[in-house]
Amino acid sequence: MGCTPRPPIRPQPAPERRVVAVVFLGLLLDLLAFTLLLPLLPGLLESHSRAHDPLYGLWQRGVDRFAAAIGMPAEKRYNAVLFGGLIGSAFSLLQFLSAPLTGAASDCLGRRPVMLLSLAGLVASYAVWAASRSFAAFLASRAIGGLSKGNVSLSTAIVADLGSAPARSRGMAAIGVAFSLAFTLGPMLGAHLPVELAPWLSLLFALSDLLFVFCCLPETLPPERRAPSVALGFHAAADLLSPLALLRFSAVTRGQDTPAGDRLGCLRRLGLVYFLYLFLFSGLEYTLSFLAHQRFQFSSLQQGKMFLFIGVTMATIQGAYARRVRPGRELAAVKQALLLLVPAFLLLGWGRSLSVLGLGLLLYAFAAAVVVPCLSSVVAGYGSPGQKGTVMGTLRSLGALARAMGPVAAASVYWLAGAQVCFTVSSVLFLLPFVLLHRLQVPVAEPKAE
């Protein structure tokens, strides 16, 4: 027998289908914990109002001043929607601050440890909410949760690590399906829960997610493909507190493998399209609750059925169509979906019958099911292996900033100028991201680093 030493055994990459399945189930558990709250928020706010919580009273006075400034009627139902929307905008703003830091850390330390740290933060947020009934504890739990919500951008970075373009497309579509299912099933489950039980069930979902990911998620970024230093990523991510630096993908340009000029320009335009789409879409999505109540006198149950219809339609389209879009055809699918949003929101803004409302919601759900998964799949092809977390974290941060600004802007236009003006102007503005994509010349992909 010879004494020649054997070469070191390198760990084999995890099967792509297994990675996609773990990302899907983990994200579904996380989002179910989050969406349980949505139908309970009006009752939760009402309970804090009855308890004369001083911090709640301070926030309520601020909401009242904003409502008076935009001319919103002083109705209890509208107040709950506005209050909840402002809390949601604050939550998105915290995600905007944390997403690039999470992505940069994962590029250096690996996806798995940073994912586990984010999920542990979410467990802590629900534990704070469950352990106290004060409004201050509720806000603290939302703040901890917002800062820990980097698991979503990490999920997209994990999918971006996959070796083949078809696997990345399937992974982004699976993330979209997880969102659709959670935002369908979570509110349905939450609507049948007492307010006192909801935080404990959310905590159970979050703990289950943490244990599941700990046991099943493999590391998708091996050490030899990681960024050399986390300090560089953190310094770049700190620049992303500037929206202009965010849109310029400054964190990506600081790395050793900066994309070539034409690819960097393409990435920046894709980021701008993503931001504009989510800014307009999140605003109109938020004002749908005002529209349904004001024009059609929908009760809370009827609004729940409306969003159930949207969620089921989105999940069906993502499972049957979006995940089957061939690599290289994603941008064509996005452009078609953006064009569909123009008649969708015109129908919603001007329709006076339930049949017109239903047709508008159908077009709306189709477009919503396609745009984000397909854009994310395209963006996942940019950057070196050690930059995927930064790239996807930057994209997620752009989306969080858009979701923080969009509802406030749309609610202001809705009450100052009326539903028809709000939906008409916004529907026409969807042509702007379409034009940006239409003029985009996608460069040849860079060779994949080994």
Side-chain angles (χ1 to χ4, degrees), residues 201-270:
L201 187 56
S202 292
L203 179 59
L204 177 61
F205 277 132
L207 278 171
S208 301
D209 188 20
L210 178 61
L211 292 174
F212 172 70
V213 169
F214 178 79
C215 294
C216 300
L217 180 68
E219 178 56 68
T220 58
L221 186 64
E224 64 271 14
R225 298 172 67 184
R226 295 177 187 173
S229 170
V230 72
L232 178 64
F234 279 161
H235 179 65
D239 289 342
L240 298 183
L241 297 179
S242 162
L244 179 60
L246 187 72
L247 288 166
R248 292 179 60 82
F249 280 80
S250 298
V252 181
T253 65
R254 293 180 179 273
Q256 294 181 337
D257 302 314
T258 301
D262 53 347
R263 287 183 62 79
L264 182 59
C266 186
L267 178 61
R268 287 169 172 169
R269 180 168 291 197
L270 289 170

Side-chain angles (χ1 to χ4, degrees), residues 176-178 180-181 184 309-321 365 369:
V177 173
S180 298
L181 286 177
T184 301
F309 170 75
I310 293 171
V312 170
T313 304
M314 287 179 60
T316 302
I317 292 167
Q318 285 164 337
Y321 170 68

